[in-house]
């Protein structure tokens, strides 16, 4: 299951933790938060959905660290806090005395129940952190219910979302402790039983372990300057991306079947020899598929694929369309060559489908469309748009994709191999091919100009006969 949530999910989890610690959490721009990520693997539980918060409690005593109220307008739901700046912010530890059966403490607030189960105690919002967030926690999401209750002696909101099973949306709990000066945020995968989650949330011990501090004027100025710098970088990056999309893929970077595409250092070369679209996979050995279990429930008796439910998202993560989508297999035969000076112990053989759109002048540019599957269907056949099959696999360790698509080759050696991909029937004419890891300059929009990026591209292969 290693690849069912790729490393980027874990990276987003770590990024979310870091942003909260720095007081730059995504709540400042909730409309840009992407939602509905799966909870299929525990390491991605806290990254699987956007950071959210809602609802209200009554008045708080004047000696408390904060008061809060709920605001709802123009589709936005937010907690707004009035902070008591005369009280010194604290630093806290939160410890549960109850774990659901089978759960284990993995450290850093993560509790793993195996088989897609997990609960996370997110980094605590102190009054110092709330101040950095302009005293507001916001969310965008379709809430099904907010249940007000008391948990671990604190007023708490239990938040569930519409179609949680279908979209595998987590349950969240916010516990408010104005007497101590902290807000506790729990994330639980949608498969965690409600009664078990409530027992966990009702067993928390909050311990103040030290004093914090509000930002000084100098610290605030430095932070705001850094945030301004980051916003400008993002703006410049977006401008560069727009220039790239407008320019499109240079004609000389679009290779044909039979042309050789070389790696950035020129030490490996790849030539697509032939390709064909197939309706069935009969005749292809199961042992050559990476994680053949991904096909469970998706193959018909004749070896063809069932349709899956495809979601079409807009740039903010809102669903534009949901439709049943037919799929096919793509077979590609490739020749790899290892040149003198290659430093790889083994040569990478995997390719990726890179989706493109046609420009008014007939050229190609990168597609900005964003598609996914309904999380409930557990569909993983097109993950990363990479191959699902390699007939020359020599590293068949279970679930280790990082080595599966590598093959030992001698300098000067040629290797002919076959890859299989899964593609949507209605998009089979809307992509080009590239070796996995090629054209990385396309991701360098924060540090390079559009002209530099275009010049540094290794290139793409169009699947059309020469």
């Amino acid at each position: 299951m290693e690849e069912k949530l790729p490393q980027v999910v874990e990276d987003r989890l770590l990024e979310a933790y870091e942003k909260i610690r720095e007081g730059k959490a995504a709540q400042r721009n909730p409309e840009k938060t992407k939602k509905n990520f799966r909870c299929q693997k525990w390491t991605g539980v806290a990254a699987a959905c956007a950071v959210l918060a809602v609802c209200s409690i009554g008045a708080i005593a004047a000696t408390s660290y904060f008061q809060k109220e709920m605001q709802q307008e123009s589709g936005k739901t937010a907690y707004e806090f009035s902070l008591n700046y005369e009280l010194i912010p604290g630093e806290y530890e939160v410890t549960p005395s109850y774990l659901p059966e089978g759960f284990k403490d993995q450290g850093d607030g993560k509790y793993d129940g195996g088989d897609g189960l997990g609960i996370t105690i997110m980094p605590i919002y102190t009054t110092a952190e709330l101040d950095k967030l302009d005293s507001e926690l916001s969310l965008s999401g379709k809430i099904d219910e907010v249940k007000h209750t008391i948990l671990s002696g604190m007023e708490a909101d239990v938040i569930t979302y519409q179609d949680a099973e279908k979209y595998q949306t987590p349950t969240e709990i916010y516990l408010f402790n104005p007497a101590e000066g902290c807000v506790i945020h729990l994330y639980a995968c949608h498969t965690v039983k409600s009664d078990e989650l409530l027992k966990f949330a009702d067993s928390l011990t909050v311990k103040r372990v030290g004093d914090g501090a509000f930002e000084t004027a100098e610290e605030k100025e430095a932070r705001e300057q850094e945030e301004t710098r980051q916003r400008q970088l993002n703006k410049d990056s977006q401008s560069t991306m727009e220039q790239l999309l407008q320019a499109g893929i240079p004609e000389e970077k679009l290779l044909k079947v039979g042309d050789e595409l070389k790696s950035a250092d020129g030490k490996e070369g790849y030539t697509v020899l032939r390709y064909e679209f197939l309706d069935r996979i009969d005749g292809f050995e199961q042992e050559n598929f990476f994680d053949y279990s991904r096909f469970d429930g998706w193959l018909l008796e004749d070896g063809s694929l069932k349709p899956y439910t495809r979601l079409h998202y807009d740039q903010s993560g809102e669903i534009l369309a949901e439709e049943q989508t037919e799929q096919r297999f793509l077979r590609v035969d490739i020749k790899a060559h290892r040149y003198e000076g290659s430093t790889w112990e083994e040569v990478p053989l995997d390719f990726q489908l890179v989706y493109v759109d046609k420009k008014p002048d007939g050229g190609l540019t990168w597609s900005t469309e964003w598609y996914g599957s309904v999380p409930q269907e557990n569909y993983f056949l097109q993950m990363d748009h990479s191959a699902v099959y390699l007939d020359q696999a020599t590293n068949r360790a279970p679930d280790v994709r990082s080595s599966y698509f590598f093959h030992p080759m001698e300098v000067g050696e040629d290797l002919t191999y076959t890859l299989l991909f899964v593609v949507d029937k209605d998009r089979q004419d809307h992509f080009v091919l590239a070796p996995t890891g090629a054209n990385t300059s396309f991701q360098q929009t924060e540090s390079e100009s559009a002209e530099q990026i275009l010049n540094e591209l290794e290139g793409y292969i169009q699947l059309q006969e020469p």
Side-chain angles (χ1 to χ4, degrees):
M1 300 290 288
E2 178 179 302
E3 290 298 309
K4 291 186 179 179
L5 277 178
Q7 182 60 37
V8 67
V9 176
E10 179 70 7
D11 294 341
R12 286 175 180 167
L13 168 60
L14 298 175
E15 180 184 359
Y17 273 75
E18 188 61 29
K19 285 183 177 179
I20 290 173
R21 292 189 181 105
E22 294 177 359
K24 304 176 194 172
Q27 291 94 324
R28 291 196 171 198
N29 293 289
E31 70 278 6
K32 295 182 180 179
T33 304
K34 295 179 180 177
K35 303 177 293 300
N36 300 328
F37 290 101
R38 308 178 181 86
C39 285
Q40 285 299 318
K41 186 176 179 185
W42 166 235
T43 54
V45 168
C49 304
V51 177
L52 311 169
V54 297
C55 240
S56 70
I57 312 179
I60 307 298
T63 56
S64 67
Y65 280 78
F66 60 76
Q67 299 180 27
K68 77 168 181 59
E69 61 178 345
M70 180 188 70
Q71 297 289 342
Q72 289 181 298
E73 57 182 34
S74 301
K76 176 183 176 182
T77 303
Y79 288 117
E80 293 185 357
F81 295 85
S82 297
L83 304 180
N84 186 342
Y85 290 93
E86 295 182 358
L87 297 179
I88 298 174
E91 299 293 340
Y92 306 89
E93 288 182 354
V94 179
T95 307
S97 60
Y98 174 81
L99 293 181
E101 184 177 357
F103 275 64
K104 296 180 181 179
D105 184 355
Q106 291 195 321
D108 203 20
K110 296 186 290 188
Y111 298 86
D112 179 15
D115 196 25
L117 297 172
I119 302 173
T120 294
I121 302 175
M122 296 294 285
I124 294 172
Y125 294 105
T126 67
T127 51
E129 300 303 325
L130 291 173
D131 178 56
K132 292 178 182 179
L133 295 170
D134 297 330
S135 302
E136 180 178 296
L137 297 176
S138 305
L139 79 92
S140 60
K142 296 180 180 179
I143 297 172
D144 181 54
E145 181 183 17
V146 178
K147 181 180 179 182
H148 307 295
T149 186
I150 301 294
L151 295 169
S152 297
M154 293 173 277
E155 292 188 70
D157 288 348
V158 181
I159 305 166
T160 54
Y161 296 89
Q162 296 177 17
D163 298 315
E165 181 71 21
K166 179 177 181 179
Y167 297 112
Q168 297 186 355
T169 313
T171 298
E172 301 186 78
I173 300 178
Y174 284 83
L175 302 96
F176 303 93
N177 195 332
E180 290 290 339
C182 62
V183 178
I184 301 168
H185 180 195
L186 305 183
Y187 250 90
C189 193
H190 75 286
T191 50
V192 177
K193 293 181 179 179
S194 177
D195 58 341
E196 292 290 85
L197 174 59
L198 292 177
K199 287 180 183 179
F200 176 95
D202 199 32
S203 74
L204 302 180
T205 299
V206 182
K207 179 181 179 182
R208 181 168 178 141
V209 295
D211 290 344
F214 290 108
E215 288 180 308
T216 64
E218 292 78 9
E219 289 171 338
K220 182 176 181 180
E221 181 180 7
R223 174 174 60 83
E224 290 179 343
Q225 287 178 351
E226 175 60 21
E227 290 175 347
T228 299
R229 188 183 73 85
Q230 288 296 330
R231 284 194 294 270
Q232 185 60 49
L233 283 175
N234 291 339
K235 183 178 179 181
D236 293 344
S237 177
Q238 180 62 34
S239 176
T240 300
M241 179 59 70
E242 291 172 356
Q243 293 174 42
L244 286 172
L245 296 177
Q246 184 175 7
I249 302 173
E251 185 176 352
E252 66 273 15
K253 302 288 186 177
L254 288 170
L255 285 69
K256 303 289 192 299
V257 173
D259 293 339
E260 183 181 43
L261 189 158
K262 287 192 175 182
S263 59
D265 59 8
K267 305 301 174 59
E268 289 83 32
Y270 303 91
T271 305
V272 171
L273 303 175
R274 65 190 66 85
Y275 71 94
E276 63 177 326
F277 290 98
L278 305 170
D279 291 320
R280 292 179 294 277
I281 57 169
D282 46 311
F284 293 92
E285 296 294 332
Q286 289 188 19
E287 66 177 11
N288 292 327
F289 286 86
F290 173 76
D291 191 4
Y292 191 76
S293 66
R294 292 184 184 181
F295 287 90
D296 291 348
W298 293 105
L299 280 176
L300 297 171
E301 291 185 4
D302 65 356
S304 62
L305 286 165
K306 294 179 181 179
Y308 75 101
T309 306
R310 188 178 67 190
L311 302 175
H312 184 189
Y313 296 92
D314 65 14
Q315 294 303 305
S316 64
E318 294 295 328
I319 297 173
L320 296 174
E322 178 178 320
E323 58 188 350
Q324 288 289 296
T325 304
E326 301 288 336
Q327 350 178 42
R328 303 182 75 188
F329 294 98
L330 167 66
R331 171 181 177 161
V332 183
D333 294 336
I334 302 171
K335 181 181 72 174
H337 182 83
R338 186 172 187 178
Y339 286 91
E340 187 72 37
S342 174
T343 58
W344 290 97
E345 293 183 4
E346 297 184 319
V347 172
L349 303 180
D350 198 10
F351 270 61
Q352 285 183 312
L353 311 180
V354 178
Y355 283 89
V356 293
D357 292 327
K358 186 164 288 188
K359 297 168 54 187
D361 63 6
L364 297 180
T365 190
W366 297 269
S367 176
T368 59
E369 298 297 318
W370 177 25
Y371 293 91
S373 60
V374 171
Q376 186 182 32
E377 292 188 352
N378 294 316
Y379 175 84
F380 306 108
L381 299 182
Q382 296 188 50
M383 181 173 290
D384 300 329
H385 304 304
S386 293
V388 297
Y389 171 99
L390 170 64
D391 69 340
Q392 296 289 341
T394 57
N395 304 307
R396 290 191 171 94
D399 299 335
V400 184
R401 189 181 183 90
S402 58
S403 60
Y404 189 86
F405 288 90
F406 282 73
H407 193 283
M409 290 180 63
E410 300 293 333
V411 171
E413 181 183 352
D414 287 335
L415 176 69
T416 299
Y417 62 97
T418 296
L419 297 176
L420 288 181
F421 301 84
V422 176
V423 299
D424 295 343
K425 281 188 177 181
D426 62 351
R427 301 186 77 198
Q428 68 182 42
D429 297 323
H430 297 278
F431 61 79
V432 290
L433 277 172
T436 298
N439 302 305
T440 55
S441 65
F442 184 70
Q443 309 298 326
Q444 307 305 315
T445 55
E446 290 188 0
S447 58
E448 296 188 4
S449 68
E451 182 178 6
Q452 288 175 308
I453 291 171
L454 294 172
N455 288 334
E456 293 171 4
L457 294 174
E458 287 93 335
Y460 303 90
I461 299 174
Q462 289 183 280
L463 294 187
Q464 61 186 50
E465 300 301 330

